[in-house]
Amino acid sequence: MLSLLWVAAFLMIGPAAHSQAAPGSEVKRDYVLGPGDVVRVTVFQNPDLSLETRISETGFISYPLLGQVKLGGQSVATAEKTLADGLRSGNFVRQPQVSVLVMQVRGNQVSVLGMVGKPGRYPLEAEGTKLTDVLAQAGGIAVGGSDVVVLTGQRQGKPLRKEVAVTTLFIQGGTEDPVLQNGDVLYVDRMPMVYIYGEVQRPGVIRLERGMSVMQALATGGGLTARGTEKGLRVHRRGADGKIVVLQPAMDDLVQSGDVLYVRESIF
């Protein structure tokens, strides 16, 4: 429980992000430019070659003297070299010092949906941005949200769906923190719930913790009353066909999301 609170606190620290970078903000030089990004190109001591433009859907910009130049798919540093090489090889500038500044990030974004602090679209401002980086930017998991983040997207032309248990990311040997790509979607569902009623001290709704047993669920509900009996314990569970089945569980059986635990009164 403490580890869950620690992780939640960690994820709430992240600074807010926006779908566009403020003018003059620094985007890392290994950021890969994409269609829709707005860039400002400057050449030292050559103001006529300064340009602010948007990268087209095909990845090109129209640049003075050079015409159509493909920058999409290149890092900021590589784009600077591409433009400098073009100016040098065309004998337009002898020793060009080119600077590329990303003014708006539009081409490499991920969507964060569901139970997070600030749902929305967030830029991948550096290569290798991980799930927890973007989750922190989105304000972390909101109160009432699950600790499992569902990642969907595409890898090598194939659909990807992966469930990432955030609470295990910081534990040795835990889940790997996935690297995100353009177009990925992160979704945080509501936290799974278990319902307890009957002869228990505190009937009601409790959060289903990972690996929670029937005994732990009852303990969270304060345990049985003086009139309750373990023999009268039943679990009402919805099956894959949508029908409710009634089970008589053992105390070490695991509870599932949506289970309803009912404790009958002892007849003796």
Side-chain angles (χ1 to χ4, degrees):
M1 193 69 179
L2 289 176
S3 63
L4 176 60
L5 294 175
W6 182 87
V7 171
F10 172 84
L11 292 176
M12 292 297 291
I13 294 174
H18 304 279
S19 61
Q20 68 177 41
S25 65
E26 182 179 355
V27 175
K28 294 183 179 180
R29 288 172 60 80
D30 61 354
Y31 169 73
V32 178
L33 299 170
D37 287 347
V38 177
V39 296
R40 177 182 292 169
V41 181
T42 56
V43 182
F44 182 63
Q45 293 186 340
N46 289 271
D48 292 343
L49 296 177
S50 295
L51 175 70
E52 184 170 321
T53 186
R54 186 181 302 274
I55 299 176
S56 71
E57 291 300 317
T58 55
F60 286 85
I61 67 168
S62 180
Y63 191 72
L65 303 178
L66 302 182
Q68 295 294 309
V69 180
K70 184 173 178 60
L71 298 186
Q74 298 183 9
S75 68
V76 172
T78 303
E80 291 174 344
K81 184 177 184 304
T82 296
L83 293 170
D85 289 346
L87 293 172
R88 185 184 300 106
S89 63
N91 294 319
F92 301 118
V93 181
R94 182 174 296 178
Q95 292 182 335
Q97 299 180 36
V98 179
S99 173
V100 174
L101 179 64
V102 181
M103 304 303 293
Q104 293 183 357
V105 176
R106 297 289 188 185
N108 294 280
Q109 295 186 338
V110 297
S111 298
V112 186
L113 307 174
M115 299 293 291
V116 294
K118 295 180 286 294
R121 290 178 60 81
Y122 291 86
L124 300 176
E125 296 184 351
E127 188 177 2
T129 300
K130 296 186 176 181
L131 181 147
T132 52
D133 297 329
V134 174
L135 190 59
Q137 292 174 10
I141 297 174
V143 176
S146 170
D147 64 341
V148 175
V149 179
V150 180
L151 165 63
T152 58
Q154 285 196 341
R155 297 295 185 273
Q156 299 177 345
K158 297 180 180 180
L160 168 73
R161 185 184 187 280
K162 186 174 184 179
E163 295 186 358
V164 180
V166 179
T167 51
T168 65
L169 288 176
F170 305 95
I171 301 174
Q172 185 176 5
T175 308
E176 180 184 357
D177 194 357
V179 174
L180 301 183
Q181 295 185 10
N182 179 40
D184 282 350
V185 177
L186 305 181
Y187 176 71
V188 179
D189 200 355
R190 293 185 179 276
M191 60 181 172
M193 309 298 293
V194 174
Y195 306 84
I196 304 178
Y197 75 110
E199 295 300 326
V200 291
Q201 300 290 345
R202 294 191 299 273
V205 183
I206 64 172
R207 177 182 181 127
L208 175 61
E209 301 291 350
R210 186 173 299 276
M212 176 179 279
S213 67
V214 171
M215 180 180 292
Q216 290 170 328
L218 291 175
T220 306
L224 305 184
T225 66
R227 295 181 299 179
T229 172
E230 292 182 11
K231 293 182 179 179
L233 174 63
R234 298 292 184 272
V235 172
H236 299 252
R237 178 174 297 165
R238 188 177 299 277
D241 57 359
K243 297 181 179 180
I244 300 295
V245 294
V246 181
L247 309 171
Q248 184 172 1
M251 282 296 183
D252 58 353
D253 286 350
L254 296 183
V255 212
Q256 297 182 14
S257 177
D259 280 355
V260 179
L261 279 66
Y262 172 60
V263 179
R264 296 177 181 177
E265 181 179 358
S266 174
I267 59 177
F268 300 104

